[in-house]
Amino acid sequence: NEPEIVPGVSSFNAGNAALKKGVTFGEKTHSVILTASFGDKEYTGDDSIENLAANKASMVFFTMFLDFEDVEKKLRTHYPPETPVAIVLYAGYKEKERVIQGTLSTIAEQLRKEEKPPFENLIYVGDFLTNRYNFADKSRKP
């Protein structure tokens, strides 16, 4: 099946749906930063990964050309090893979509066990991933 193209709906929205979590419903943070890392060059601008991570907000990475182990190292400058992480593969593709979940200290090893991930995937970082609000669970209690 081909994914349905809906103008204005990005893979970020499809990834959120795959996780069934609200990205602004963390225990310690209610903000989310969307960012991307392109190419092999070391980027050191004001919005570098290390500078964004200093906010300790939830983060979502669009991953074209992303060196995951480099991102993991940069995130560790501000996030503890037990920080929840999820990678959404093939967001929006009904038959292929998959979620890999772990922590900052375990996710790289889990990713190495996978077949080569697609060119485009999403990396989610933040405590919202383990929050009690699971939007697939209709019986949730506030």
Side-chain angles (χ1 to χ4, degrees):
N1 281 343
E2 291 296 312
E4 179 183 353
I5 306 296
V6 180
V9 176
S10 80
S11 60
F12 168 68
N13 302 101
N16 297 346
L19 292 169
K20 296 177 179 68
K21 298 283 185 181
V23 295
T24 58
F25 287 97
E27 291 289 331
K28 297 179 183 173
T29 182
H30 297 278
S31 299
V32 64
I33 296 171
L34 302 178
T35 188
S37 179
F38 298 96
D40 322 354
K41 294 182 182 176
E42 185 64 28
Y43 179 70
T44 58
D46 289 341
D47 62 342
S48 68
I49 293 170
E50 296 93 335
N51 289 345
L52 293 174
N55 293 295
K56 296 185 180 166
S58 297
M59 294 182 74
V60 179
F61 293 86
F62 294 89
T63 62
M64 289 69 74
F65 302 112
L66 184 75
D67 177 346
F68 181 75
E69 290 182 9
D70 184 49
V71 170
E72 175 193 14
K73 183 175 80 175
K74 291 175 181 178
L75 288 171
R76 284 177 180 250
T77 62
H78 295 286
Y79 291 92
E82 65 274 5
T83 301
V85 176
I87 301 174
V88 179
L89 306 172
Y90 299 103
Y93 289 83
K94 188 176 182 178
E95 282 78 28
K96 296 194 286 185
E97 184 176 84
R98 223 164 30 117
V99 176
I100 302 168
Q101 290 192 306
T103 65
L104 199 50
S105 65
T106 65
I107 198 75
E109 183 61 33
Q110 289 174 256
L111 191 58
R112 278 192 284 275
K113 293 176 184 175
E114 296 291 320
E115 292 180 26
K116 184 179 178 186
F119 173 69
E120 297 173 348
N121 55 73
L122 297 162
I123 300 171
Y124 287 77
V125 178
D127 68 351
F128 73 93
L129 290 164
T130 55
N131 196 341
R132 66 188 179 277
Y133 296 117
N134 181 337
F135 292 105
D137 178 7
K138 303 290 187 214
S139 65
R140 73 172 197 257
K141 295 177 183 168

